[in-house]
Amino acid sequence: MPHSDAARRTRRRTLRIAVAGLTAGTALTLTACGIPDDADALQTRRAKPVAPMAWEAKASAAEDGIGGGGTGGGACDTTQLRIEAKPLSRPANHLLLEATNISGAPCDLYGAPYPRFDDAQSPLAPLPASKPRAVVTLAPGSSGYAAVRTSSADGAGRHGRTVTTLSVGLAVRQGKGRADDATEVALPGGAVYLDTDAWVTYWQSDPGDAAAWWVTSR
């Protein structure tokens, strides 16, 4: 019927206009969002590899005792420090090593000190649990601390003897050996009793942290 044909033509013309308007509107939206409207925008692109996060590297370094701190000024050496051995009334049979930066530049205390008594073939072993989360950095005038247990409180240690001399060496960098320039340090009272239960903590930034390790090591 003529009336029906005219109605169908009108509907088709309306649909074409609507589709054209929708296409134009989509193109404008894509352009406004900064997305190209060509076929390349629909292509799948290969994902790029992601570098490990920075905190993972820092955590790994901290586990080695070389991360989470440090100044870039390099490891402290004995010419930059004044190292003293002080007695501790509690815990018993302990000394406190205090290393003070007497230079005009910051430096880093890596790992643990290397205390050697008398003519011992090797320095005391460090207490593993005392490893800090970060390198101890010494600004000029500031100090780092390490506790030395010289003997067991209950007499369980073996080969006890009285020693009269102490030398302290420093780590060049954790895991990279130690410096050769150990310095002589006076012992409180001139002598201490030493046995096989002796150990030393890693360097700490607070003397209380150094002395506290006797609780977990008994």
Side-chain angles (χ1 to χ4, degrees):
M1 297 175 61
H3 178 73
S4 298
D5 291 343
R8 282 196 294 271
R9 284 196 297 270
T10 299
R11 284 197 297 270
R12 283 197 296 267
R13 188 162 52 248
T14 302
L15 287 173
R16 284 196 298 271
I17 293 171
V19 171
L22 177 61
T23 303
T26 302
L28 288 173
T29 301
L30 292 172
T31 303
C33 294
I35 303 174
D37 58 356
D38 56 13
D40 289 341
L42 301 178
Q43 294 179 357
T44 301
R45 302 182 186 277
R46 180 177 298 177
K48 295 181 179 180
V50 179
M53 296 181 68
W55 66 266
E56 292 178 348
K58 291 181 180 179
S60 177
E63 288 176 359
D64 293 335
I66 63 175
T71 63
C76 299
D77 63 54
T78 55
T79 64
Q80 297 173 283
L81 304 178
R82 180 180 66 248
I83 302 178
E84 300 173 279
K86 301 180 178 182
L88 288 175
S89 57
R90 182 176 176 84
N93 306 327
H94 279 65
L95 299 175
L96 182 69
L97 295 180
E98 179 179 2
T100 303
N101 184 353
I102 57 174
S103 73
C107 65
D108 299 323
L109 280 175
Y110 286 100
Y114 294 94
R116 189 192 303 264
F117 291 90
D118 282 356
D119 56 354
Q121 295 183 350
S122 59
L124 296 185
L127 184 66
S130 67
K131 181 182 291 187
R133 295 178 62 85
V135 174
V136 176
T137 295
L138 298 185
S142 65
S143 300
Y145 306 88
V148 177
R149 184 170 79 168
T150 56
S151 61
S152 61
D154 58 4
R158 297 176 294 110
H159 306 300
R161 66 195 188 280
T162 298
V163 295
T164 58
T165 63
L166 168 64
S167 64
V168 176
L170 301 174
V172 176
R173 190 175 178 88
Q174 178 68 14
K176 301 296 183 181
R178 62 181 185 269
D180 296 327
D181 56 342
T183 186
E184 298 296 321
V185 178
L187 288 170
V192 296
Y193 183 79
L194 190 77
D195 66 21
T196 53
D197 277 355
W199 46 248
V200 62
T201 69
Y202 283 77
W203 288 113
Q204 312 290 329
S205 58
D206 184 274
D209 291 340
W213 284 104
W214 76 279
V215 176
T216 58
S217 62
R218 285 184 300 177

Coordinates of all heavy atoms in Angstrom, one line a residue, residues 78-150:
T78 N 89.4 3.5 60.8 CA 89.9 3.8 62.1 C 90.4 5.2 62.3 O 90.5 5.7 63.4 CB 90.9 2.8 62.6 OG1 92.0 2.7 61.7 CG2 90.2 1.4 62.7
T79 N 90.9 5.8 61.2 CA 91.4 7.2 61.3 C 90.3 8.2 61.6 O 90.6 9.3 62.0 CB 92.2 7.6 60.1 OG1 91.3 7.6 59.0 CG2 93.4 6.6 59.8
Q80 N 89.1 7.8 61.2 CA 87.9 8.7 61.4 C 87.3 8.6 62.8 O 86.4 9.4 63.1 CB 86.9 8.5 60.3 CG 87.4 8.8 58.9 CD 86.3 8.4 57.9 OE1 86.2 7.2 57.6 NE2 85.6 9.3 57.4
L81 N 87.6 7.5 63.5 CA 86.9 7.2 64.7 C 87.7 7.2 66.0 O 88.9 6.9 65.9 CB 86.3 5.8 64.6 CG 85.4 5.5 63.3 CD1 84.9 4.1 63.4 CD2 84.2 6.5 63.3
R82 N 87.1 7.4 67.1 CA 87.7 7.2 68.4 C 86.9 6.0 69.0 O 85.7 6.1 69.2 CB 87.6 8.4 69.3 CG 88.2 8.1 70.7 CD 88.1 9.4 71.6 NE 86.7 9.7 71.9 CZ 86.0 10.8 71.5 NH1 86.7 11.6 70.7 NH2 84.8 11.0 71.9
I83 N 87.5 4.9 69.2 CA 86.8 3.7 69.7 C 87.2 3.4 71.1 O 88.4 3.4 71.5 CB 87.1 2.5 68.8 CG1 86.7 2.7 67.4 CG2 86.4 1.2 69.4 CD1 87.1 1.6 66.4
E84 N 86.2 3.3 72.0 CA 86.5 3.1 73.4 C 85.7 1.8 73.9 O 84.6 1.5 73.3 CB 86.0 4.3 74.2 CG 86.7 5.6 73.9 CD 86.1 6.8 74.6 OE1 85.0 7.3 74.1 OE2 86.6 7.2 75.6
A85 N 86.3 1.2 74.8 CA 85.6 0.0 75.5 C 85.2 0.4 76.9 O 86.0 0.8 77.7 CB 86.5 -1.2 75.5
K86 N 83.9 0.3 77.2 CA 83.4 0.7 78.5 C 82.7 -0.5 79.2 O 82.1 -1.3 78.5 CB 82.4 1.9 78.3 CG 83.0 3.1 77.6 CD 81.9 4.2 77.4 CE 82.5 5.4 76.8 NZ 81.6 6.5 76.6
P87 N 82.9 -0.5 80.5 CA 82.2 -1.7 81.2 C 80.7 -1.5 81.3 O 80.2 -0.4 81.3 CB 82.9 -1.6 82.6 CG 83.2 -0.1 82.8 CD 83.6 0.4 81.4
L88 N 80.0 -2.6 81.3 CA 78.6 -2.6 81.6 C 78.3 -3.3 82.9 O 78.7 -4.4 83.1 CB 77.8 -3.3 80.4 CG 77.8 -2.5 79.1 CD1 77.1 -3.4 78.0 CD2 77.0 -1.2 79.2
S89 N 77.6 -2.6 83.8 CA 77.2 -3.3 85.0 C 76.1 -4.3 84.8 O 76.0 -5.3 85.5 CB 76.7 -2.3 86.1 OG 75.7 -1.5 85.6
R90 N 75.3 -4.1 83.8 CA 74.2 -5.0 83.4 C 74.1 -4.9 81.9 O 73.9 -3.9 81.4 CB 72.9 -4.7 84.1 CG 71.8 -5.6 83.7 CD 70.5 -5.3 84.5 NE 69.4 -6.1 84.2 CZ 69.2 -7.3 84.7 NH1 70.0 -7.8 85.6 NH2 68.1 -8.1 84.3
P91 N 74.2 -6.0 81.2 CA 74.5 -7.4 81.7 C 75.9 -7.6 82.2 O 76.8 -6.9 81.7 CB 74.2 -8.2 80.5 CG 74.5 -7.4 79.3 CD 74.1 -6.0 79.7
A92 N 76.1 -8.6 83.0 CA 77.4 -8.9 83.5 C 78.3 -9.5 82.4 O 77.7 -10.0 81.4 CB 77.3 -9.9 84.7
N93 N 79.6 -9.3 82.6 CA 80.5 -9.9 81.6 C 80.4 -9.4 80.2 O 80.6 -10.1 79.3 CB 80.4 -11.5 81.6 CG 80.5 -12.1 83.0 OD1 81.2 -11.6 83.8 ND2 79.8 -13.2 83.2
H94 N 80.0 -8.1 80.2 CA 79.9 -7.4 78.9 C 80.7 -6.1 78.8 O 80.8 -5.5 79.9 CB 78.4 -7.1 78.6 CG 77.6 -8.3 78.0 ND1 77.4 -9.4 78.8 CD2 77.0 -8.5 76.8 CE1 76.6 -10.2 78.1 NE2 76.4 -9.7 76.9
L95 N 81.1 -5.8 77.6 CA 81.7 -4.5 77.4 C 80.9 -3.8 76.3 O 80.2 -4.4 75.5 CB 83.1 -4.6 76.8 CG 84.2 -5.3 77.7 CD1 85.5 -5.5 76.9 CD2 84.4 -4.5 79.0
L96 N 80.9 -2.5 76.3 CA 80.3 -1.7 75.3 C 81.3 -1.0 74.4 O 82.1 -0.2 75.0 CB 79.3 -0.7 75.9 CG 78.5 0.2 74.9 CD1 77.5 -0.7 74.1 CD2 77.8 1.3 75.6
L97 N 81.4 -1.3 73.2 CA 82.3 -0.6 72.3 C 81.5 0.7 71.7 O 80.4 0.6 71.2 CB 82.7 -1.4 71.1 CG 83.5 -2.7 71.4 CD1 83.9 -3.4 70.1 CD2 84.8 -2.3 72.2
E98 N 82.2 1.8 71.9 CA 81.6 3.1 71.4 C 82.5 3.7 70.3 O 83.7 3.9 70.6 CB 81.4 4.1 72.5 CG 80.8 5.4 72.0 CD 80.6 6.4 73.2 OE1 80.9 6.0 74.3 OE2 80.1 7.5 72.9
A99 N 82.0 3.8 69.1 CA 82.8 4.4 68.0 C 82.3 5.8 67.7 O 81.1 5.9 67.2 CB 82.8 3.5 66.8
T100 N 83.1 6.8 67.9 CA 82.7 8.2 67.7 C 83.4 8.8 66.5 O 84.6 8.6 66.3 CB 83.0 9.0 68.9 OG1 82.3 8.5 70.1 CG2 82.5 10.5 68.7
N101 N 82.6 9.4 65.6 CA 83.1 10.0 64.4 C 83.8 11.3 64.8 O 83.1 12.3 65.1 CB 82.0 10.2 63.4 CG 82.5 10.7 62.0 OD1 83.7 11.1 61.9 ND2 81.6 10.8 61.1
I102 N 85.1 11.3 64.7 CA 85.9 12.6 65.0 C 86.3 13.3 63.8 O 87.1 14.3 63.9 CB 87.1 12.2 65.9 CG1 88.0 11.2 65.2 CG2 86.7 11.7 67.2 CD1 89.3 10.9 65.9
S103 N 85.9 12.9 62.6 CA 86.2 13.6 61.4 C 85.2 14.6 61.0 O 84.2 14.8 61.7 CB 86.3 12.6 60.2 OG 85.0 12.1 59.8
G104 N 85.4 15.3 60.0 CA 84.4 16.3 59.6 C 83.4 15.9 58.5 O 82.7 16.7 57.9
A105 N 83.4 14.6 58.2 CA 82.5 14.0 57.2 C 81.7 12.8 57.7 O 82.3 12.1 58.6 CB 83.3 13.7 56.0
P106 N 80.5 12.6 57.2 CA 79.8 11.4 57.6 C 80.5 10.1 57.1 O 81.1 10.1 56.1 CB 78.4 11.6 57.1 CG 78.6 12.5 55.9 CD 79.8 13.4 56.3
C107 N 80.2 9.0 57.8 CA 80.7 7.7 57.3 C 79.8 6.6 57.8 O 78.9 6.9 58.6 CB 82.2 7.4 57.7 SG 82.4 7.3 59.5
D108 N 79.9 5.4 57.2 CA 79.0 4.3 57.5 C 79.7 3.2 58.3 O 80.8 2.8 57.8 CB 78.4 3.8 56.3 CG 77.6 4.8 55.5 OD1 76.9 5.7 56.2 OD2 77.6 4.9 54.3
L109 N 79.1 2.7 59.3 CA 79.6 1.6 60.1 C 78.9 0.3 59.5 O 77.7 0.1 59.8 CB 79.3 1.7 61.6 CG 80.2 2.6 62.4 CD1 79.7 2.7 63.8 CD2 81.7 2.0 62.4
Y110 N 79.6 -0.5 58.7 CA 79.0 -1.7 58.1 C 79.2 -2.9 59.1 O 80.2 -3.0 59.7 CB 79.7 -2.0 56.8 CG 79.2 -1.0 55.7 CD1 80.0 0.0 55.3 CD2 78.0 -1.2 55.1 CE1 79.7 0.9 54.3 CE2 77.6 -0.3 54.0 CZ 78.4 0.7 53.7 OH 78.0 1.5 52.7
G111 N 78.2 -3.7 59.1 CA 78.3 -5.0 59.8 C 78.6 -4.9 61.2 O 78.0 -4.1 62.0
A112 N 79.5 -5.7 61.7 CA 79.9 -5.8 63.1 C 81.4 -5.4 63.2 O 82.2 -5.6 62.2 CB 79.7 -7.2 63.6
P113 N 81.8 -5.0 64.4 CA 83.3 -4.8 64.6 C 84.0 -6.1 64.6 O 83.4 -7.2 64.8 CB 83.3 -4.0 65.9 CG 82.1 -4.4 66.6 CD 81.0 -4.6 65.5
Y114 N 85.3 -6.1 64.6 CA 86.1 -7.3 64.6 C 87.1 -7.1 65.9 O 88.2 -6.7 65.7 CB 87.0 -7.4 63.4 CG 86.1 -7.7 62.1 CD1 85.7 -6.7 61.3 CD2 85.8 -9.0 61.8 CE1 85.0 -7.0 60.2 CE2 85.0 -9.3 60.7 CZ 84.6 -8.3 59.9 OH 83.9 -8.6 58.8
P115 N 86.5 -7.5 67.1 CA 87.4 -7.4 68.3 C 88.3 -8.6 68.4 O 87.8 -9.8 68.3 CB 86.4 -7.3 69.4 CG 85.1 -7.9 68.9 CD 85.2 -7.8 67.4
R116 N 89.6 -8.4 68.7 CA 90.5 -9.5 68.8 C 91.3 -9.3 70.2 O 91.8 -8.2 70.4 CB 91.5 -9.5 67.7 CG 92.4 -10.7 67.6 CD 93.5 -10.6 66.6 NE 93.0 -10.3 65.3 CZ 92.9 -11.2 64.4 NH1 93.1 -12.5 64.6 NH2 92.4 -10.9 63.2
F117 N 91.3 -10.3 71.0 CA 91.9 -10.2 72.3 C 93.3 -10.9 72.3 O 93.4 -12.0 71.8 CB 91.0 -10.8 73.4 CG 89.8 -10.0 73.7 CD1 88.6 -10.3 73.0 CD2 89.7 -9.0 74.6 CE1 87.4 -9.6 73.2 CE2 88.6 -8.3 74.9 CZ 87.4 -8.5 74.2
D118 N 94.2 -10.2 72.9 CA 95.6 -10.7 73.0 C 96.1 -11.3 71.6 O 96.0 -10.6 70.6 CB 95.7 -11.8 74.1 CG 95.7 -11.2 75.5 OD1 95.8 -10.0 75.6 OD2 95.7 -12.0 76.5
D119 N 96.6 -12.5 71.6 CA 97.1 -13.0 70.4 C 96.2 -14.0 69.7 O 96.6 -15.0 69.1 CB 98.5 -13.7 70.7 CG 98.4 -14.8 71.7 OD1 97.3 -14.9 72.3 OD2 99.4 -15.5 72.0
A120 N 94.9 -13.8 69.9 CA 93.9 -14.7 69.3 C 94.1 -14.8 67.8 O 94.4 -13.8 67.1 CB 92.5 -14.3 69.6
Q121 N 93.9 -16.0 67.2 CA 94.0 -16.1 65.8 C 92.9 -15.4 65.0 O 93.1 -15.1 63.8 CB 94.1 -17.6 65.4 CG 95.3 -18.3 66.0 CD 95.4 -19.8 65.5 OE1 94.4 -20.3 65.0 NE2 96.5 -20.5 65.8
S122 N 91.8 -15.3 65.6 CA 90.7 -14.7 64.8 C 89.8 -13.8 65.8 O 89.9 -14.0 67.0 CB 89.8 -15.7 64.2 OG 89.2 -16.6 65.2
P123 N 89.1 -12.8 65.2 CA 88.3 -12.0 66.1 C 87.0 -12.7 66.5 O 86.7 -13.8 66.0 CB 87.9 -10.8 65.1 CG 88.0 -11.4 63.8 CD 89.1 -12.4 63.8
L124 N 86.3 -12.1 67.4 CA 85.1 -12.7 67.9 C 84.0 -12.8 66.8 O 84.0 -11.9 65.9 CB 84.5 -11.9 69.1 CG 85.3 -11.8 70.4 CD1 84.5 -11.1 71.4 CD2 85.7 -13.2 70.9
A125 N 83.2 -13.8 66.8 CA 82.1 -13.9 65.8 C 81.0 -13.0 66.2 O 80.7 -12.8 67.4 CB 81.7 -15.4 65.8
P126 N 80.3 -12.4 65.2 CA 79.1 -11.6 65.5 C 77.9 -12.4 65.8 O 77.8 -13.5 65.4 CB 78.9 -10.8 64.2 CG 79.5 -11.7 63.1 CD 80.6 -12.4 63.8
L127 N 77.0 -11.8 66.6 CA 75.8 -12.4 67.0 C 74.8 -12.2 65.8 O 74.4 -11.1 65.6 CB 75.2 -11.8 68.3 CG 74.0 -12.4 68.9 CD1 74.2 -13.9 69.3 CD2 73.5 -11.6 70.0
P128 N 74.4 -13.3 65.1 CA 73.6 -13.1 63.9 C 72.3 -12.3 64.1 O 71.8 -11.5 63.3 CB 73.3 -14.5 63.4 CG 74.5 -15.3 63.9 CD 74.8 -14.7 65.3
A129 N 71.6 -12.6 65.3 CA 70.3 -12.0 65.5 C 70.4 -10.5 65.7 O 69.3 -9.8 65.6 CB 69.7 -12.7 66.7
S130 N 71.5 -10.0 66.0 CA 71.7 -8.6 66.3 C 71.8 -7.7 65.0 O 72.0 -6.5 65.1 CB 72.8 -8.3 67.2 OG 74.1 -8.6 66.6
K131 N 71.8 -8.3 63.8 CA 72.0 -7.5 62.6 C 70.9 -6.5 62.5 O 69.7 -6.8 62.5 CB 72.0 -8.4 61.4 CG 72.2 -7.7 60.1 CD 72.2 -8.6 58.9 CE 73.4 -9.5 58.8 NZ 73.4 -10.3 57.6
P132 N 71.2 -5.2 62.3 CA 70.1 -4.2 62.2 C 69.5 -4.2 60.8 O 70.0 -4.8 59.9 CB 70.9 -2.9 62.5 CG 72.3 -3.2 62.0 CD 72.5 -4.6 62.3
R133 N 68.4 -3.5 60.7 CA 67.7 -3.4 59.4 C 68.4 -2.4 58.5 O 68.1 -2.4 57.3 CB 66.3 -2.9 59.6 CG 65.5 -4.0 60.4 CD 64.0 -3.5 60.6 NE 63.3 -3.3 59.4 CZ 62.7 -4.2 58.7 NH1 62.7 -5.5 59.1 NH2 62.1 -3.9 57.6
A134 N 69.3 -1.5 59.0 CA 69.9 -0.5 58.2 C 71.3 -0.3 58.6 O 71.7 -0.6 59.8 CB 69.1 0.8 58.3
V135 N 72.1 0.2 57.7 CA 73.5 0.6 58.1 C 73.5 1.7 59.1 O 72.7 2.6 59.0 CB 74.2 1.0 56.8 CG1 75.6 1.6 57.1 CG2 74.3 -0.1 55.8
V136 N 74.4 1.7 60.0 CA 74.6 2.8 61.0 C 75.4 3.9 60.4 O 76.6 3.7 60.1 CB 75.2 2.2 62.3 CG1 75.4 3.4 63.3 CG2 74.3 1.2 62.9
T137 N 74.8 5.0 60.2 CA 75.5 6.2 59.6 C 75.9 7.1 60.8 O 75.1 7.4 61.6 CB 74.6 6.9 58.6 OG1 74.4 6.0 57.5 CG2 75.3 8.2 58.1
L138 N 77.2 7.5 60.7 CA 77.7 8.4 61.8 C 77.9 9.8 61.2 O 78.8 10.0 60.3 CB 79.0 7.9 62.3 CG 79.0 6.5 63.1 CD1 80.4 6.2 63.7 CD2 77.9 6.5 64.1
A139 N 77.2 10.8 61.6 CA 77.5 12.1 61.3 C 78.7 12.6 62.1 O 79.0 11.9 63.1 CB 76.2 13.0 61.6
P140 N 79.3 13.6 61.8 CA 80.5 14.1 62.6 C 80.0 14.3 64.0 O 79.0 15.0 64.3 CB 80.9 15.4 61.9 CG 80.5 15.2 60.5 CD 79.2 14.4 60.5
G141 N 80.7 13.7 65.0 CA 80.4 13.9 66.4 C 79.5 12.8 66.9 O 79.3 12.7 68.2
S142 N 78.8 12.0 66.1 CA 77.9 11.0 66.6 C 78.6 9.7 66.7 O 79.7 9.5 66.3 CB 76.7 10.9 65.6 OG 77.1 10.4 64.4
S143 N 77.9 8.7 67.4 CA 78.5 7.4 67.8 C 77.7 6.2 67.4 O 76.5 6.3 67.3 CB 78.8 7.4 69.3 OG 79.6 8.4 69.7
G144 N 78.4 5.1 67.2 CA 77.7 3.8 67.0 C 78.2 2.9 68.1 O 79.3 3.1 68.7
Y145 N 77.4 1.8 68.4 CA 77.7 1.0 69.6 C 77.6 -0.5 69.2 O 76.8 -0.9 68.4 CB 76.7 1.3 70.7 CG 76.6 2.8 71.0 CD1 75.8 3.7 70.3 CD2 77.4 3.3 72.0 CE1 75.7 5.0 70.6 CE2 77.4 4.7 72.3 CZ 76.5 5.5 71.6 OH 76.5 6.8 71.9
A146 N 78.4 -1.3 69.9 CA 78.3 -2.7 69.8 C 78.7 -3.3 71.2 O 79.6 -2.8 71.9 CB 79.3 -3.3 68.8
A147 N 77.9 -4.3 71.6 CA 78.2 -5.0 72.9 C 79.1 -6.2 72.6 O 78.9 -6.9 71.6 CB 76.9 -5.4 73.5
V148 N 80.0 -6.4 73.6 CA 80.9 -7.6 73.5 C 80.6 -8.4 74.8 O 80.7 -7.9 75.9 CB 82.3 -7.2 73.5 CG1 83.2 -8.5 73.6 CG2 82.7 -6.4 72.3
R149 N 80.1 -9.7 74.6 CA 80.1 -10.6 75.8 C 81.4 -11.3 75.9 O 81.9 -11.9 74.9 CB 79.0 -11.6 75.6 CG 78.8 -12.5 76.8 CD 77.6 -13.4 76.8 NE 77.8 -14.5 76.0 CZ 76.9 -15.6 76.0 NH1 75.9 -15.5 76.8 NH2 77.1 -16.6 75.2
T150 N 82.1 -11.1 77.0 CA 83.4 -11.7 77.2 C 83.4 -13.1 77.7 O 84.3 -13.9 77.4 CB 84.2 -10.8 78.1 OG1 83.5 -10.7 79.4 CG2 84.4 -9.4 77.5

